[in-house]
Amino acid sequence: MNQDLAVLENILGYAFADRALLTQALTHSSYAAEHGKPDNERMEFLGDAVLELAVSECLYRDTAKMREGAMTKTRAALVCEPALVRAAGRLNLPDFLLLGYGEDRAGGRDKPSIVSDALEAVIGAIYLDGGLRPAKEFVETFIITSLQLTEAEGAFSDYKTKLQELIAKRSPAAKIEYLLLKADGPEHKRIFTMGVDVNGKRLGEGEGASKQSAGQAAAGQALETLAARGGEVCD
């Protein structure tokens, strides 16, 4: 296990003074129950708080023109389960998890809740081992990447709200429905395709790394469709 921890430390870019903290961060409750070890749930609780603080500070510092409401939505996109699962996948974190026999056989390494909780626990472990600075550096390096930040901001361009307002103005009785059309790729790199129908007629489709961002993209295309029609909505 020590050799595995050294490999993981290299991936994480952080060497623990107390490797027992890293081991605990990787320990799911199913493994803890089987082996009488402490699990990562309390550490995950701490890491969640550190994660939110680090993301909040980064948004405040680096997005001077973003309003408070948009900052809140962007932070939610960056700390949500799908975003954490993608980040954990890039770190190969699922390979290092300590799972109980039954949970491992049941595909626990592919369960988003287990993977995202473990990543938050790792953040908590780094905080406990080295303090806030290395924990924030880890979050900024591996979670607040330029790609994720751009996607998060784009995901909340408020196309859904704009579409809702336009439809309500032009055709108050019209029904807007968002549909999941497909989901491709492995769990940690899933690409979703959403469609948006108005009164049963498809006005837009969009892709994204989450259903939310895909839905926003679909709403954006729907707005373009309506603009080409001069804003006319078919009842």
Side-chain angles (χ1 to χ4, degrees):
M1 183 64 184
N2 283 337
Q3 184 176 1
D4 290 342
L5 291 180
V7 172
L8 181 56
E9 284 178 329
N10 187 55
I11 295 173
L12 299 176
Y14 179 80
F16 280 81
D18 182 2
R19 279 187 174 173
L21 292 170
L22 179 56
T23 299
Q24 184 176 348
L26 302 172
T27 303
H28 185 254
S29 57
S30 60
Y31 184 94
E34 290 181 7
H35 296 84
K37 303 290 185 180
D39 63 40
N40 64 5
E41 292 181 358
R42 284 170 52 83
M43 203 171 283
E44 178 267 326
F45 171 82
L46 178 61
D48 176 68
V50 175
L51 172 62
E52 287 227 0
L53 174 61
V55 171
S56 298
E57 182 179 315
C58 181
L59 289 174
Y60 183 84
R61 184 184 67 235
D62 296 341
T63 58
K65 295 182 179 180
M66 187 181 289
R67 303 296 296 173
E68 183 271 339
M71 290 170 67
T72 298
K73 292 178 179 179
T74 301
R75 181 180 62 192
L78 288 169
V79 304
C80 70
E81 186 175 276
L84 297 181
V85 169
R86 292 195 300 274
R90 288 193 294 272
L91 294 165
N92 295 324
L93 190 63
D95 294 344
F96 296 92
L97 298 182
L98 297 175
L99 304 177
Y101 178 76
E103 186 64 65
D104 204 3
R105 285 179 60 88
R109 295 179 196 279
D110 296 321
K111 292 182 179 179
S113 60
I114 291 178
V115 174
S116 61
D117 285 353
L119 180 57
E120 288 182 331
V122 167
I123 295 169
I126 294 173
Y127 172 79
L128 290 171
D129 189 73
L132 186 58
R133 182 174 179 177
K136 285 166 56 179
E137 289 176 350
F138 173 82
V139 170
E140 293 194 20
T141 300
F142 294 105
I143 296 177
I144 313 176
T145 64
S146 58
L147 175 62
Q148 287 176 304
L149 186 56
T150 298
E151 177 185 308
E153 292 187 69
F156 290 102
S157 296
D158 225 9
Y159 292 136
K160 282 188 174 182
T161 299
K162 291 177 183 177
L163 179 62
Q164 182 72 41
E165 291 174 348
L166 178 61
I167 297 298
K169 181 178 180 180
R170 300 294 179 120
S171 183
K175 179 182 178 182
I176 302 176
E177 186 176 12
Y178 289 89
L179 306 169
L180 176 62
L181 303 180
K182 62 179 179 178
D184 297 323
E187 189 68 34
H188 62 281
K189 294 182 180 179
R190 190 65 57 89
I191 298 296
F192 297 92
T193 302
M194 298 288 290
V196 57
D197 293 356
V198 177
N199 286 342
K201 295 184 178 180
R202 182 67 40 82
L203 290 187
E205 295 183 6
E207 293 184 349
S210 68
K211 294 178 184 178
Q212 178 80 345
S213 60
Q216 289 286 353
Q221 189 180 91
L223 288 168
E224 293 177 3
T225 300
L226 292 174
R229 295 179 181 174
E232 180 181 350
V233 179
C234 296
D235 292 326

